[in-house]
Every structure is written in C-alpha cells, then in structure tokens.
Amino acid sequence: MRRRMRSVRARATLAATLVVAIALVAAGAAVLLALRASLIDQADTEADSVARNAASALSNGFAYNDLDLPDGDENPVEVLDRKGKAVAFGEDVEGMSVAAKASDRLNSIANDDAGDKDEGMVDEEDALGAGDIADETWYGQGTATVEGETSDYRFAGVDVVTKGGVPLTVYAGAPLSAEQGAVSTALTAMLIGLPLLLVTVSGVTYVVTRRALRPVEGIRAEMAAITAAEDLSRRVPEPGTHDEVARLARTTNETLAALEASVERQRAFVADASHELRSPIASLRTQLEVGAAHPELLDVEGAVEDTVRLQRLAADLLLLARLDAGERSTDVRVDLAALVRTEAGQRAGDRVEVSVDADVDGNVVEVSGSRGQLARVLGNLLDNAQRHTRSSVTVTVRRAGEWVLLEVADDGAGVPAAERERVFERFVRLDEARTRDDGGAGLGLAIARDVAVRHGGSLTVREAPAGGALFELRLPAA
C-alpha cells in the first residue's frame, strides 16, 4: 500500500478526491444552512401573520372567547396579560414553552409592573394607546403541546392594547416539521450521494491520470532499454499531442541526440588523437632504434622536433579535455590591448613581422577571463596566420559597443566560404594546410573557439581586406 501511494496516479487520485470531498462538504453545509434559514423565515412570516391577526381582533374589541383562533395543530396561539397569565389560547393547546427572547420580554413586562423598570428605559408598549398594535415583533423558538403531543415551533410575539386599555401579548407559532423534514431529507440525500460521487471522482481521476501518464511510462521504458543497450541512436516515442508530455519526449530526444553527437565526437577525437600521436611516436622510435644500432646515424634534431611536436600535441589534448570537462576561466580583468602588444613582441621565429594596431585611442580595453587562455587564443591565431600569409599579418584591437574585438588578418589564400565553420573542428586541416603545415595537428583553431565560447564570446572567420583570412574574436567588455 505504501509503495502504491508513491505513484503519481495514486497521489493525484487521492488529492482530487480530498479536494472534491472538502468542496462538497462545504457546499452541502452551505446549502443546508441556507435551506434551514429560508424555511425558518417562512415560519416566522407565518407565525407573525397569525399573531397579528389575533392582535388585530383584540384591538378591535373582540372578547377573548370570540377570537377566531386557528387549530392548535397548525398554529398554536396564546394570549398573555401583563402578568404572563394565559387569558386565551387556541383549540387543543395545552401548553407553550416560548423562546428565550420572548420569555425575556415577559420578564421585562413583569418587572415593569413590579416597579423595577430601569432608569431611562422606554418600553414601546408604554407608547401604545387603546386599540394600538406594536410594530415590533419578537421571534423565538420553542415547543407547544397540542392534544398531548409536543412539537417544535417557531413563535412570534406581538404587543397589543385592547380598546378597553388592557395591554396584552399575543404569541403564535408555526410548525417546524416542514423545515426539519426538508433538512433531514437533504442531509440524507447528501450522505448517500457524497460517497457515490467521491467514488466516481476517484475512479475517473485514476483512469484519466493513467491514460495521461501512459506516454511517460513509454518514455521511461525506452530510456531504460537505451541505457541497458547503450545504444544512443534510439529515440523515445513522441505522442501526437501538444501537451507537456509531448514536449518532454521531444526534449528527451533532443538530449539523446546531443549525447549521441557528443559520444561520436569523443570517439572521433580519440581516433584522431591516436592517429596524430602514432606518427611522431613511430618516427621518434625509429630514430632512437637507428641511433642505438648506428650512433653515427642518429638524427638528434629530428628527434627533438618530434618530441616538441608530441609535447605540443599533449598540451593541446590536455587543454581540450579540461574545456570539455567544463573548466571555467578565472574571472580577472585583462587589458586585451596590452596583452596583444606583449604577446606579439615576445614572438620569435616568425617568418613575417606582425603589425599591431591596439592603441584604441589610448584607452584601456578590458575583458574578464583567463589571461593565459586568451594568450593561447592569440598565439594560435598568429601561428595560423604565419602558416598561410604571403607578406603581412595584422592584429587589431577595437571597441564595438559592449564588445571588444580582436582581429587577426593575413594576405594568404583565405578560407573558402564553405569551409569557414569546418575549419574550427578538431583535427581538421584544409588541403593547403596539409601541404604547408609545419607540424600542427589541426587543434589550434578548435581550441581558440572553445576558449572564446567559455569566455562568453565567439570566434568567426571571413575574408580580409587584403584578400586573405580575417579571424574575429568577439568578447564582452568588462
């Protein structure tokens, strides 16, 4: 049972049933109260009408015995004098127990006769003249005994003064049997209907929830199968609806597609890295074996070059691994113009001198990030430009609104429009790069773009004014 309650269906069914039960109980109580109040108002109106009819007869001079009082079963009536003594009563009326408010009225009248009336208290009856009827009616609830049977009634009390100047109080009752019967019938119907309605609501909620969650179970089962088979090419079923479950399925498939692409990229990365590492390692091993057998034939310079190439490739692979792992750049302010001037001035072995335009009107141009990683980006872009340029390499730093732009341009053959995105992929080298490359593995531009993205910027390439390639690094200004 406890395990079943953990399901969404069970919790949704329980919640819906509780909400409906609370709403129905509240609505039922409100209906019963409103019904009872309405029926009591009708009884008050009926009792007031009977009391005033009797009071009207008394005010017109009818004697007690001549009063045409209704049958006691329908409307019991009593006429009391100032001392609370019954001077007239309806047929078969054996006794009446009047409600508290009416009894308080009788006690007040008796106290007035005894001289105990409070100072400043003005009784409406004192203002009544001979033959007058009070405008105010006192209502209360009590019982009346008619022909030996006691029942509940709603009473109305009216003060009247006869033509002879005798003050009287007329009490008339209206039976509450109709009100009690109606309320009891409504309560019984609610007690019978409420459980049936709750069972219906819970059943419908359970069925609807199960049907609504059936696609979720399909998604879960397919995801479990994908995990077990380790086959990221599979996709979860997408329902034909346009609700949250359909959006969940689409998002899940998009996530699976991204995971599949990531895994394929990692596999390709490992394969390409293995291929790139195999050549220098094989070359170095061959040179060392030849050197061991024939020391006079050892190519020390070649071995050093292969070792340096391996060192650079290992450093590039390590940096890419850290970037793929989500390594965040240190959040420090870097003056990009000063960084460009420093890095360009420290370069050695370039076959073309680098021209730097980073004055920016004498202002400091700062970005937030890692100085080391940004220097690596600049170095990779300059290395790429040196490999492809004919006669000039230009570095420009400028401000463009909320962005800082670093541009590296050369006058080489440029990058074809169809290859301007592919050139940033890992281990990708265009045909010209493969023939003129001095040992690069095709990772420099990929590293540069990854670093740019990690710094909240971008790296793109387009045609330079001199006809070569222009790489634009765009970073948010600090």
Side-chain angles (χ1 to χ4, degrees):
M1 181 65 181
R2 190 174 184 181
R3 188 173 182 179
R4 290 182 179 179
M5 290 308 297
R6 294 178 181 176
S7 67
V8 176
R9 292 195 301 268
R11 293 199 300 268
T13 301
L14 179 60
T17 305
L18 288 177
V19 170
V20 172
I22 293 173
L24 289 178
V25 169
V31 169
L32 291 177
L33 291 175
L35 176 62
R36 184 174 183 275
S38 176
L39 293 175
I40 288 178
D41 287 342
Q42 293 180 10
D44 287 343
T45 302
E46 180 183 351
D48 179 70
S49 175
V50 174
R52 288 191 176 277
N53 286 337
S56 176
L58 291 172
S59 67
N60 290 327
F62 279 78
Y64 303 146
N65 296 332
D66 295 336
L67 293 177
D68 185 14
L69 300 179
D71 187 3
D73 289 336
E74 298 179 358
N75 299 106
V77 178
E78 274 191 349
V79 180
L80 306 180
D81 59 13
R82 294 282 293 209
K83 296 182 180 180
K85 180 181 179 181
V87 296
F89 44 84
E91 184 179 355
D92 299 327
V93 176
E94 299 175 3
M96 292 172 55
S97 175
V98 188
K101 182 178 288 189
S103 300
D104 292 343
R105 175 63 180 164
L106 289 177
N107 293 334
S108 175
I109 294 174
N111 291 335
D112 291 346
D113 289 341
D116 296 335
K117 188 171 184 178
D118 294 339
E119 183 179 355
M121 179 177 179
V122 178
D123 194 287
E124 182 183 359
E125 184 183 313
D126 295 339
L128 296 179
D132 290 341
I133 302 175
D135 295 331
E136 184 179 356
T137 302
W138 288 267
Y139 298 100
Q141 193 164 323
T143 60
T145 302
V146 180
E147 294 182 346
E149 294 185 3
T150 302
S151 302
D152 294 327
Y153 288 85
R154 187 71 179 176
F155 292 100
V158 178
D159 291 330
V160 62
V161 178
T162 64
K163 283 190 174 182
V166 179
L168 302 171
T169 300
V170 180
Y171 287 101
L176 291 177
S177 56
E179 177 263 340
Q180 293 172 346
V183 172
S184 177
T185 302
L187 180 60
T188 302
M190 289 180 182
L191 292 178
I192 295 175
L194 180 60
L196 296 177
L197 184 58
L198 291 179
V199 170
T200 303
V201 169
S202 61
V204 171
T205 303
Y206 188 85
V207 172
V208 171
T209 306
R210 183 176 62 180
R211 293 190 61 182
L213 294 178
R214 188 174 299 165
V216 178
E217 177 60 25
I219 294 173
R220 186 209 63 79
E222 185 63 23
M223 287 295 295
I226 292 173
T227 303
E230 298 182 357
D231 183 7
L232 293 177
S233 63
R234 298 171 60 173
R235 297 293 180 265
V236 300
E238 295 186 14
T241 58
H242 299 282
D243 54 8
E244 293 82 355
V245 177
R247 291 196 293 272
L248 171 64
R250 287 193 293 271
T251 303
T252 302
N253 285 334
E254 292 171 0
T255 303
L256 289 173
L259 288 174
E260 182 183 14
S262 176
V263 171
E264 292 298 326
R265 187 166 59 249
Q266 288 297 110
R267 290 173 179 171
F269 176 74
V270 172
D272 291 336
S274 300
H275 175 75
E276 292 293 334
L277 287 170
R278 186 168 54 215
S279 297
I281 289 175
S283 176
L284 183 59
R285 177 180 178 180
T286 300
Q287 295 180 50
L288 293 176
E289 289 177 348
V290 171
H294 305 282
E296 70 277 3
L297 299 178
L298 179 61
D299 184 5
V300 178
E301 293 183 359
V304 171
E305 289 179 359
D306 287 339
T307 304
V308 171
R309 183 180 178 187
L310 282 173
Q311 184 180 11
R312 290 177 178 174
L313 182 56
D316 289 343
L317 294 176
L318 180 60
L319 177 57
L320 284 174
R322 292 203 306 265
L323 293 175
D324 288 341
E327 180 183 82
R328 299 184 63 181
S329 60
T330 54
D331 190 12
V332 297
R333 290 177 176 266
V334 179
D335 185 352
L336 198 59
L339 176 66
V340 168
R341 288 191 292 267
T342 300
E343 293 297 321
Q346 293 177 350
R347 291 181 64 86
D350 289 342
R351 62 187 184 89
V352 176
E353 184 178 356
V354 178
S355 175
V356 177
D357 181 10
D359 288 340
V360 200
D361 298 330
N363 296 324
V364 175
V365 181
E366 291 185 335
V367 296
S368 295
S370 169
R371 180 182 179 86
Q373 291 185 8
L374 293 176
R376 183 67 176 275
V377 172
L378 177 61
N380 289 354
L381 295 179
L382 290 176
D383 290 342
N384 179 77
Q386 289 289 338
R387 283 195 296 268
H388 300 289
T389 189
R390 293 189 180 94
S391 59
S392 67
V393 175
T394 303
V395 181
T396 304
V397 178
R398 59 189 177 91
R399 183 73 178 264
E402 297 181 355
W403 298 92
V404 176
L405 304 184
L406 186 153
E407 298 174 341
V408 178
D410 62 70
D411 60 352
V415 180
E419 304 288 345
R420 289 177 181 172
E421 280 299 317
R422 183 170 170 269
V423 75
F424 292 106
E425 296 179 5
R426 299 174 182 182
F427 298 104
V428 170
R429 289 171 291 181
L430 304 184
D431 292 338
E432 181 187 0
R434 291 184 183 275
T435 59
R436 299 181 58 185
D437 201 319
D438 61 351
L443 293 176
L445 295 180
I447 291 174
R449 170 167 276 191
D450 283 352
V451 172
V453 172
R454 293 296 190 277
H455 283 72
S458 62
L459 179 61
T460 56
V461 60
R462 63 176 186 272
E463 185 177 354
L470 187 151
F471 286 85
E472 181 185 85
L473 174 65
R474 181 183 294 261
L475 297 172

